[in-house]
Every structure is written in structure tokens, then in C-alpha cells.
Amino acid sequence: IEQPTFPKITEMCVKMIRRVNDEEGIKKLVNETFQKLWFTPTPHHDKEAMTRKILNITDVVAACRDTGYDWFEQLLQNLLKSEEDASYKPVKKACTQLVDNLVEHILKYEESLSDSDNKGVNSGRLVACITTLFLFSKIRPQLMVKHAMTMQPYLTTKCSTQNDFMVICNVAKILELVVPLMEHPSETFLATIEEDLMKLIIKYGMTVVQHCVSCLGAVVNKVTQNYKFVWACFNRYYGALSKLKSQHQEDPNSTILTANKPALLRSLFTVGALCRHFDFDQEDFKGNSKVNIKDKVLELLMYFTKHSDEEVQTKAIIGLGFAFIQHPSLMFEQEVKTLYNSILSDKNCSVNLKIQVLKNLQTYLQEEDTRMQQADRDWKKVAKQEDLKEMGDISSGMSSSIMQLYLKQVLEAFFHTQSSVRHFALNVIALTLNQGLIHPVQCVPYLIAMGTDPEPSMRNKADQQLVEIDKKYAGFIHMKAVAGMKMSYQVQQAINICPKDPVRGFRHDESSNALCSHLYSMIRGNRQHRRAFLISLLNLFDDTAKTEVNMLLYIADNLACFPYQTQEEPLFIMHHIDITLSVSGSNLLQSFKESMVKDKKKERKPSSDEETESDSNSGTESESEEEASKPRRLRKRVDSDSDSDEENDINAVMKCLPENSAPLIEFANVSQGILLLLMLKQHLKNLCGFSDSKIQKYSPSESAKVYDKAINRKTGVHFHPKQTLDFLRSDMANSKITEEVKRSIVKQYLDFKLLMEHLDPDEEEEDGEVSASTNARNKAITSLLGGGSPKNNAAETEDDESDGEDRGGGTSGVRRR
């Protein structure tokens, strides 16, 4: 306002206006700013200010050409609504001024265009002006009624560039909204419009045909009732299609068909478009004929959906989509159901056909929505005299039944590798939910899964739907949360470009947020729901759950990166990890022990198993106690001794391994879950800086207040479960077992055994001294995780941690002597 010539004004307006749907405070600011800037009446004598305003608005409209104009419509609606009941209506007055001046502007441009050579620059401005007029007509078509005659000649624009087509399409859209509102328009004006539109339909491409047929529909159905004119056009294309069908039936490979392909594509599209806007089964069109036109059209279009050429198939499906808008009941036909569902569920079907089917459903739902809103508006006008019965029920019942038919296949389209397929599937589901056509609970897991999509716009849309569902139906999200996590893993698998790389559960950007962080933030507010959710996730790591290793890695990634806020959250997880470890760990050791063969030389056996177990309880502990009390220098020597003992143990167990290596593989596979939990606990401990004693003292039954302190996160702590990643990358589950791999698995087994023996912390821990058992436990953990020793009471420093990861050489972290 102060500096109208500043060059960045357009950019600033674009950024502001996009926030028109934000929270209330921002929305109010945006509305007020633009009311001041654009929608305040300008004094009549100040031509310069008016021109500036128009240039500014059209610049912003032009800048938003690719992102859509919803914001402009929203803004206009908000402003006009706010003054509906007021006696003074400045916005309405300003709109009238703007529309009148825009039309004047366009006429001036026409003159300058005929004089000047630089048509390209100006035609862009012309498109922006006409688009702006269309946006005004969309919200308040009355504003344009007096200018309809001025707009009509633009239908005869010579089309050479993209901009010319934009002009024609927008003029057709304006006339479609405005002509039905004109009082007593002249016959010649209407006849000229009809002829112009017909010429365009016959001559130009898809977009123009679509808008012109739509405009013709409004003019003929609401104003002129010139049905014969449209019937002739329909017969022309319908006849051409029938002829092409019979030629194709005689000889599918004939050259005539190849030559006639453009005509075939145009006929399929135009017949569909005409059927969308005109019901040819009315007597006004077909007279007394008994032929059922809609069934005939269905049969023709269905015939071409089985054509060998994909382009012909696509056009036939577009045509079908148009016909279904006029006659939704056709979607219940068995052949249509089979066609749609097979295209959506067939993995090998072309992406274009999938997208087209989804677009058809989307367009149908959008039309239904518009129809319902119109019915609502009409209803409000007569509501006082009418009875509140069967209003609008019939059509919503129809669209609901249709969506029930195709819902499962549309939801399954979320698992497609192409983002465009996922995009349209999400649009269809969002429209279905917004119109309340299905019970939302069945969509929740799919929406959770779509919330992990790599594209921010799709993530936000899915998350928004979940927030809406959560507002209306509390508890639905929590109920389906685990199913949603599993599904999000499937989506990630589908998107994963490189199948060799394991699917990870966090974003690979600087934030490294968990993919399901939005889901967690929705659940975390309710303590009971949060705990149930976390326990369900940890239960998947149980050896009886038989969850595949990559999914466990994905869930562990999420658990490592969730946006925890209070200390209670990670402490609760660590507490339950300990419980799971003690149960799963002993099961795992037991099953491994049972699979070992009793060695022929009986005397070797005890050293590896029973004896070691009874000895190690006393032996290792006393050893470690001695070790803890010895000075540093001597300690190292004992270390090396225990290493060589370990070496002997490994050899002893190696001798007892069965011929069949399946139990070994099984052990390596199941142990990944336990390793991940150990890594996760270690990671959370480092991330939040918890000491061992703090973790041990935690009890889930204590009141929430005790652990309500905010977490003090350390930066640069990353979750990197090296062994599981190596296990997945080397595809160990399916590869041949070598001596070295066997050795590393046995080493892992012995470390596990040691860990299990020292899992429960010592009760009588003296202040300031680290107990021997804790020492032994930490040593076993270090060895298992293949890395530097975890400090006991203090959390590990970042350097140590990352260092430890780098040093740890996979599972076989044995220091050979």
C-alpha cells in the first residue's frame, strides 16, 4: 500500500494468500490484508490506483497458474460472507468495480495487440485477466451478467499458442456460469454462442472440447432447449464409433483403423463428454424411439476398453467416466465392476489406465459434491414451506454404494510405486471421507501409511484426514495404529527404489524424523493409549511373533526417532525392553541349546554348556569382582585370559553344532529382534542421557508427575544398528553358511548367554561402586553390539558411541590373541 511499485509485491502476495486456510488468527490477518489491498472501493477519479490494483491481482493469479486458485475463491468467499447481513457492502462494491475495470482492460489489450508486435507478452496478461474474471464469476456470477455479450466474441479466438486455448476455455467457463442468469438474452446472441461452441468441439483438443460441451450443456439445458442441434452432433460421433467398431470386428489389423485412429479417439471422448451433460434418453432428444441410448453407449465404450492400443483404451475409459456422471447406476454393471477392479488390482496393468480409473472416480465424487451443495442451496430457499424428508438422500445413497464397491481396490492403490497413482487414490479417499460415504475406520491404517509418503503434499493431506477423523471419532486412530505402522512399512517397501537396501523408518534428511512421527504425536497425549501402542510395537520383537527382520528394523527406527517429550516415554520403553529381553532371550538360548548335538567325546561337552553355566555364575562373577578391585595395569592381563577362554568355549560349541545349519540360521534370524532392542535401549539411553540406576529405579506404576520432566535431547546421536543392516544386506537368511559365519553366530550365542546371566541388576550395589554383574553385563552388551564399552552410570558420550559403532566389526567382534 505504501510502496506500490516495489518489485517483490507479487511474490509477497502469493506467499500471504496461500495461508488463507490456516488457523483462525492467520486467516483473519490474511483476510484483512487483502480487503485493504484489493477489496476496498477505489475513488472513481483515481484511475492510476485502479490500474495498479488490477495489475497486482492479475500478476498474483498468473503466478499461481500451476498451483491452483483455491485460495482466491476461499478469500473471496470469506470476505463476501462476512458482510452478507451488513447494510454497507464495501467488498461487493469493490468486486463490481474490479470486474468492470478488468473487462475494460481486456478490451484495451485487444486494441494494443492489434497495433503491436510483441503479442506473446501481452497475451499472457490477457489470460491472467480472463482467468481472474472466471474466478469472480465462479463465486458471484451476477457480477458478469452485463458483460456476457462482450465475452462471447472471444470464443472465436484463433488458436495458435497455449495461451489462446486458455482464453477459450476460460471464456467458455464464464459463459457457462453467466448465460443462464441473463434475463431475456437475444436469440442471435444465443445462436452465435451455440455455433461457436459446436465449431470448437469439432475442431480442437480434449480440454477445449470438455469446457465447450460443458458450456453448451448449460446454454441448451437451461436456456435455449435447442435439443435437435445437440442430437445431430451426438449422432455424428456415435455413428462414427459404431462404424469403427464393426470394421474392427471384421479385421482388427486393418490399415483403415490405423488411419482412422485420431477420429476414433475424438469420437470416444466427445460421445462421453456429450453423455455427461445431456440425458439422451429423454424424449426431447430421441423422440419416440424405444432404443436405450445409455446402454448402447456403454456397450460401445466397453468394446473399445478391450482394444490392444493403450491410447484407445484410455480414451474409452475417459468416455465411460463421463457417461457415469450422468448415469451413476451404470457403475453397478458387472462388466464395469470387473473392468475397474481388474485395472486397479492388476500389478502389471499400465499406470495410465490405473490413473484414469481413479480420475473417473474422483470426477464423479466432485460432481456429486457440487450437486449436493447446489441441492442444499436450493433447499434453503424453499425449506420453510417444505417437509424435512427425503432431501438429497437418494443421490448420496447411490454414491455411498458405489464407493463401497471400489473402496478396497482404491485403498490398495496406495501401495503403488508411482507417486501419481498414490496421489489420485488419496484424492478419491479424501473426497469419500469428506462426503461421509463410508465408515472412516477402514481407511485409518491406509491413511497412517500414506502419512509416510516421501512427498510432503501427500503426507500433509493424509495427516489432515487423520486429524479430522480423530476430532469426530476419538480412539479410532489408536485402535488402528499398529496396523497402520505395518501398512506404512508396505508402502515404504513399494517406494523403495533399491531392493538391496533395507527399508528404514526415518526420513533421510537433516531432521531424521520418524516416518510415523505424526501418528505418535496424535497418540502420545493419552497416556493409556500411548502405553498400549508402545507395548504392541515392542511385542512384535517377541520371538513368538515371527515378524520379519526388516520390519523390526523399520519399527525400531521409528521407536528410536519418535518425538518423545517427557522422560516417562523412553523410560517406559526401556523398562519393557528389559522384560522382553529376559523372556525372549532365555527362550532363544534354550532352543539353541536343544539343537546342539551331544558330542561323542562326552568329556568335552560340559565345558561348553552345563558346566560353563554353573561355573560362569560363580566363576565369571568372582573373576570380575577381582578384576574390579585390581589396579588398571593388571586388569588388562585378565582380559586377555578371558579372551582365550572365550576362544576355547567357541571351539567347544563349534564341535557340538548339528550338521543341519537351519537352527543356526534360525538363531541368527530371531536374535536380530533382541539385538535391535538392545541397540534401541542403548540409543535411547545415549539420546536422553539416562544413567543405569535411573533406568533401574523406574516403575511404570508410579504417578505420572515423577517423570513428567522434559527430555534433554543430545544432538548428533544416530540410531545405526550395524549388525542388523549387515545381516539384511548380506541376505544371511538365504545365503550359504561358511565356517566364519558359524563362528560369529556361536560367538554371539556365548555373548548372549553371558548377558542373560547378568541381566538382573544386583540389589546390594554400594554407592559409588559399579557392581561386577553390571560390569559383566555391559561387557556382554558391548561385545554383542560390536563396539566400545558402554559407560555405566553416566551416559555414553556421542564420540564414544559413534566410535563404538565404527569399531564394531559386525557380529564377530572377537579380539584374536
Side-chain angles (χ1 to χ4, degrees):
I1 295 174
E2 299 296 325
Q3 301 187 340
T5 51
F6 184 61
K8 294 262 183 200
I9 284 185
T10 308
E11 203 179 316
M12 285 151 60
C13 288
V14 171
K15 285 210 165 71
M16 279 192 297
I17 207 163
R18 292 216 176 118
R19 306 288 298 270
V20 75
N21 279 331
D22 249 352
E23 63 244 38
E24 283 307 310
I26 295 181
K27 197 169 166 175
K28 191 163 176 257
L29 268 175
V30 173
N31 287 342
E32 284 169 5
T33 308
F34 283 101
Q35 178 156 4
K36 246 193 220 139
L37 204 59
W38 291 352
F39 297 108
T40 309
T42 315
H44 283 297
H45 55 80
D46 194 350
K47 282 284 180 220
E48 194 184 325
M50 196 65 220
T51 309
R52 240 194 345 256
K53 204 189 274 190
I54 281 181
L55 289 177
N56 181 221
I57 295 180
T58 49
D59 278 338
V60 173
V61 168
C64 291
R65 181 166 163 179
D66 300 327
T67 51
Y69 304 113
D70 305 346
W71 47 266
F72 190 89
E73 295 165 29
Q74 197 59 53
L75 180 71
L76 252 183
Q77 259 165 337
N78 293 350
L79 293 174
L80 287 165
K81 203 173 186 174
S82 64
E83 57 169 40
E84 257 174 7
D85 306 324
S87 51
Y88 173 57
K89 302 191 174 181
V91 177
K92 193 175 171 193
K93 189 175 174 193
C95 286
T96 314
Q97 273 188 349
L98 283 170
V99 168
D100 296 350
N101 277 287
L102 271 165
V103 174
E104 246 176 71
H105 234 77
I106 290 175
L107 295 173
K108 273 192 202 144
Y109 273 130
E110 280 298 282
E111 287 166 25
S112 66
L113 276 182
S114 52
D115 304 340
S116 74
D117 301 327
N118 61 342
K119 291 197 174 166
V121 183
N122 280 334
S123 68
R125 171 76 65 195
L126 179 67
V127 172
C129 286
I130 290 187
T131 309
T132 313
L133 281 177
F134 162 62
L135 294 172
F136 275 113
S137 341
K138 203 168 169 183
I139 305 300
R140 278 283 191 282
Q142 296 82 355
L143 297 171
M144 280 295 292
V145 169
K146 58 180 179 185
H147 301 299
M149 308 280 275
T150 320
M151 299 314 291
Q152 178 265 322
Y154 287 94
L155 286 175
T156 55
T157 309
K158 295 255 185 312
C159 283
S160 51
T161 65
Q162 183 59 38
N163 281 344
D164 299 337
F165 285 114
M166 298 278 289
V167 168
I168 285 187
C169 291
N170 279 317
V171 170
K173 289 194 279 191
I174 292 173
L175 291 173
E176 177 185 344
L177 294 165
V178 174
V179 173
L181 301 178
M182 294 171 72
E183 287 179 19
H184 316 302
S186 75
E187 295 289 322
T188 45
F189 167 68
L190 293 172
T192 321
I193 287 187
E194 286 180 347
E195 275 166 33
D196 291 345
L197 290 171
M198 194 56 80
K199 281 179 194 154
L200 292 168
I201 291 170
I202 292 167
K203 191 171 172 189
Y204 290 116
M206 280 204 314
T207 329
V208 175
V209 171
Q210 211 171 329
H211 293 306
C212 292
V213 172
S214 184
C215 182
L216 191 64
V219 173
V220 172
N221 288 330
K222 295 178 185 167
V223 189
T224 64
Q225 269 93 42
N226 188 355
Y227 298 120
K228 295 235 172 354
F229 185 61
V230 181
W231 179 241
C233 173
F234 170 73
N235 271 326
R236 170 178 175 172
Y237 286 110
Y238 177 79
L241 266 189
S242 306
K243 192 171 158 197
L244 287 164
K245 177 188 166 184
S246 48
Q247 282 175 348
H248 187 263
Q249 278 170 326
E250 283 163 25
D251 175 15
N253 305 321
S254 98
T255 47
I256 306 173
L257 283 174
T258 326
N260 283 340
K261 186 177 160 186
L264 171 61
L265 296 178
R266 173 175 287 279
S267 303
L268 286 167
F269 187 83
T270 314
V271 164
L274 286 165
C275 285
R276 172 179 178 173
H277 295 285
F278 300 99
D279 180 2
F280 290 111
D281 281 316
Q282 288 177 352
E283 265 187 37
D284 300 322
F285 288 105
K286 63 176 187 182
N288 304 328
S289 160
K290 289 280 176 283
V291 183
N292 188 334
I293 304 285
K294 69 168 191 269
D295 293 349
K296 286 280 183 207
V297 170
L298 178 68
E299 186 192 330
L300 258 182
L301 293 172
M302 284 302 292
Y303 177 80
F304 285 106
T305 58
K306 300 176 184 64
H307 199 281
S308 53
D309 184 336
E310 188 186 308
E311 213 180 333
V312 175
Q313 283 179 307
T314 310
K315 283 286 187 294
I317 290 173
I318 294 177
L320 279 174
F322 285 155
F324 295 157
I325 290 172
Q326 179 72 256
H327 306 288
S329 58
L330 293 176
M331 280 197 256
F332 295 118
E333 296 286 332
Q334 191 50 52
E335 49 180 345
V336 176
K337 282 195 287 196
T338 315
L339 173 78
Y340 269 23
N341 285 338
S342 63
I343 288 177
L344 288 175
S345 50
D346 181 7
K347 292 270 185 294
N348 308 320
C349 189
S350 103
V351 172
N352 291 341
L353 294 181
K354 276 188 202 296
I355 290 178
Q356 197 46 60
V357 168
L358 291 168
K359 273 187 183 167
N360 281 0
L361 290 170
Q362 177 183 325
T363 318
Y364 164 68
L365 290 170
Q366 284 165 336
E367 284 289 309
E368 272 305 303
D369 198 30
T370 319
R371 221 180 282 182
M372 298 290 276
Q373 285 174 0
Q374 188 53 49
D376 269 358
R377 283 196 290 273
D378 297 347
W379 171 248
K380 279 190 184 120
K381 289 175 196 162
V382 294
K384 293 186 178 61
Q385 306 100 43
E386 295 285 345
D387 213 6
L388 269 175
K389 285 208 301 277
E390 66 256 6
M391 188 46 217
D393 282 352
I394 302 150
S395 56
S396 71
M398 169 83 84
S399 43
S400 176
S401 326
I402 287 171
M403 282 323 295
Q404 304 282 1
L405 275 184
Y406 300 111
L407 181 70
K408 188 172 185 306
Q409 280 73 14
V410 174
L411 287 170
E412 292 295 324
F414 282 180
F415 304 126
H416 201 276
T417 42
Q418 293 275 345
S419 70
S420 45
V421 176
R422 300 197 301 274
H423 169 80
F424 284 108
L426 184 60
N427 282 355
V428 172
I429 294 301
L431 283 164
T432 312
L433 287 170
N434 292 343
Q435 292 177 36
L437 302 178
I438 52 168
H439 197 292
V441 77
Q442 48 204 348
C443 298
V444 171
Y446 291 92
L447 289 168
I448 293 172
M450 275 310 275
T452 65
D453 198 279
E455 293 189 22
S457 59
M458 304 217 304
R459 282 205 295 272
N460 298 343
K461 191 164 189 172
D463 290 349
Q464 207 177 349
Q465 293 296 325
L466 285 174
V467 171
E468 291 297 316
I469 292 174
D470 197 40
K471 270 186 209 157
K472 289 184 197 154
Y473 312 91
F476 269 15
I477 309 295
H478 155 69
M479 195 161 81
K480 293 288 185 188
V482 179
M485 286 275 291
K486 288 181 179 171
M487 251 181 214
S488 67
Y489 169 68
Q490 289 174 290
V491 168
Q492 292 306 314
Q493 265 183 319
I495 296 168
N496 192 8
I497 313 148
C498 172
K500 282 235 174 358
D501 276 348
V503 174
R504 299 303 301 268
F506 55 81
R507 294 226 160 77
H508 298 281
D509 54 18
E510 62 285 351
S511 69
S512 56
N513 286 337
L515 289 179
C516 297
S517 55
H518 180 259
L519 170 68
Y520 182 75
S521 56
M522 285 179 77
I523 291 178
R524 73 166 291 284
N526 178 325
R527 185 175 175 202
Q528 195 184 349
H529 284 177
R530 176 179 76 224
R531 287 184 160 190
F533 173 58
L534 291 173
I535 288 177
S536 314
L537 290 184
L538 291 170
N539 284 346
L540 296 172
F541 289 85
D542 193 321
D543 54 339
T544 52
K546 298 272 184 283
T547 317
E548 61 168 301
V549 177
N550 197 347
M551 190 192 268
L552 290 179
L553 170 68
Y554 176 77
I555 289 171
D557 278 340
N558 272 293
L559 285 167
C561 304
F562 274 154
Y564 303 117
Q565 288 179 13
T566 60
Q567 292 184 359
E568 204 272 339
E569 298 164 54
L571 282 170
F572 179 78
I573 292 176
M574 289 149 98
H575 175 79
H576 275 276
I577 286 180
D578 283 345
I579 296 172
T580 312
L581 281 179
S582 61
V583 178
S584 289
S586 38
N587 289 351
L588 186 63
L589 290 179
Q590 191 54 39
S591 56
F592 188 80
K593 233 178 265 179
E594 283 163 9
S595 72
M596 287 202 291
V597 187
K598 297 273 183 283
D599 201 0
K600 293 180 189 73
K601 298 180 186 165
K602 282 277 183 229
E603 68 275 16
R604 292 301 303 263
K605 182 73 185 73
S607 71
S608 80
D609 221 35
E610 290 91 28
E611 225 177 72
T612 325
E613 205 161 318
S614 53
D615 279 356
S616 63
N617 273 340
S618 52
T620 323
E621 237 164 87
S622 55
E623 212 172 88
S624 328
E625 263 158 27
E626 273 172 46
E627 201 181 317
S629 58
K630 284 180 190 174
R632 282 246 159 177
R633 281 165 300 146
L634 297 174
R635 239 190 260 181
K636 281 277 174 275
R637 216 170 305 152
V638 181
D639 248 13
S640 64
D641 289 351
S642 66
D643 263 2
S644 53
D645 287 352
E646 200 170 323
E647 197 71 7
N648 295 339
D649 279 355
I650 290 178
N651 292 331
V653 178
M654 287 289 281
K655 289 200 172 66
C656 300
L657 291 180
E659 291 298 304
N660 174 10
S661 56
L664 265 183
I665 298 272
E666 178 65 10
F667 174 81
N669 214 346
V670 177
S671 63
Q672 293 305 324
I674 296 182
L675 277 173
L676 279 169
L677 288 181
L678 275 172
M679 277 301 279
L680 177 60
K681 182 177 172 186
Q682 209 53 32
H683 168 79
L684 291 173
K685 187 173 151 186
N686 298 331
L687 183 71
C688 310
F690 293 142
S691 63
D692 275 352
S693 59
K694 174 145 193 166
I695 298 167
Q696 281 156 25
K697 283 178 191 153
Y698 170 79
S699 153
S701 51
E702 267 186 77
S703 80
K705 291 199 177 72
V706 184
Y707 296 106
D708 254 359
K709 295 187 192 116
I711 288 180
N712 185 4
R713 281 170 185 270
K714 301 234 179 352
T715 49
V717 179
H718 295 297
F719 183 62
H720 181 75
K722 186 171 184 312
Q723 293 172 317
T724 307
L725 290 170
D726 291 345
F727 175 84
L728 287 166
R729 284 193 183 117
S730 63
D731 194 19
M732 194 189 279
N734 305 321
S735 54
K736 197 164 164 24
I737 276 218
T738 60
E739 206 53 29
E740 196 180 325
V741 174
K742 276 189 185 174
R743 217 179 167 74
S744 70
I745 294 178
V746 170
K747 161 81 177 71
Q748 206 181 345
Y749 160 69
L750 290 168
D751 283 335
F752 254 133
K753 208 163 107 182
L754 187 64
L755 173 71
M756 293 312 297
E757 283 150 12
H758 299 288
L759 197 59
D760 295 322
D762 284 7
E763 293 303 318
E764 61 282 358
E765 213 172 280
E766 290 174 37
D767 283 347
E769 286 217 1
V770 178
S771 78
S773 166
T774 309
N775 241 337
R777 181 172 80 244
N778 284 336
K779 196 173 159 199
I781 291 178
T782 310
S783 196
L784 270 174
L785 303 183
S789 68
K791 310 285 185 297
N792 297 314
N793 282 345
E796 229 175 296
T797 60
E798 280 92 347
D799 304 21
D800 262 336
E801 197 242 2
S802 53
D803 213 328
E805 282 167 14
D806 297 344
R807 237 180 308 156
T811 30
S812 45
V814 189
R815 299 181 293 287
R816 306 263 180 261
R817 246 333 197 220

